[in-house]
């Protein structure tokens, strides 16, 4: 749990330093989506060697999805 929270906080700090829009929402959603995928589908396979390639790829996809959701929420507010 500490790793998940630290990842969200560090991601938010990195995005705010880069002056990205929604620097706190995107890391929260990206990590939350990734945790949901791991718990739902990958829990039994965490000891497999191929998981070292799958988790970073899925994390990149979930962060892209989080950015899309943040942009859609921004449009809905406008």
């Amino acid at each position: 749990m500490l790793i998940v929270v630290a990842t969200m906080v560090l991601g938010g700090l990195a995005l705010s330093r880069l002056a990205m829009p929604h620097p706190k929402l995107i890391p929260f959603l990206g990590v939350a989506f990734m945790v949901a995928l791991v718990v739902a589908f990958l829990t039994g396979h965490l000891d497999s060697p191929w998981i070292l390639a799958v988790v970073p790829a899925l994390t990149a996809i979930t962060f892209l999805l989080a950015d899309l959701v943040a942009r859609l929420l921004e449009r809905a507010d406008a």
Side-chain angles (χ1 to χ4, degrees):
M1 191 68 176
L2 181 64
I3 292 171
V4 172
V5 172
T7 305
M8 288 179 192
V9 170
L10 291 174
L13 289 172
L15 290 180
S16 65
R17 288 205 181 261
L18 294 171
M20 298 291 291
H22 313 290
K24 302 224 182 327
L25 178 63
I26 292 174
F28 174 77
L29 290 176
V31 172
F33 292 159
M34 187 59 208
V35 168
L37 284 173
V38 167
V39 168
F41 302 111
L42 300 176
T43 302
H45 305 285
L46 292 177
D47 57 349
S48 298
W50 57 268
I51 205 77
L52 293 174
V54 170
V55 168
L58 282 177
T59 303
I61 292 169
T62 60
F63 268 76
L64 289 173
L65 181 64
D67 185 48
L68 175 68
V69 168
R71 289 174 193 260
L72 289 174
L73 288 172
E74 185 177 30
R75 284 189 201 153
D77 286 342

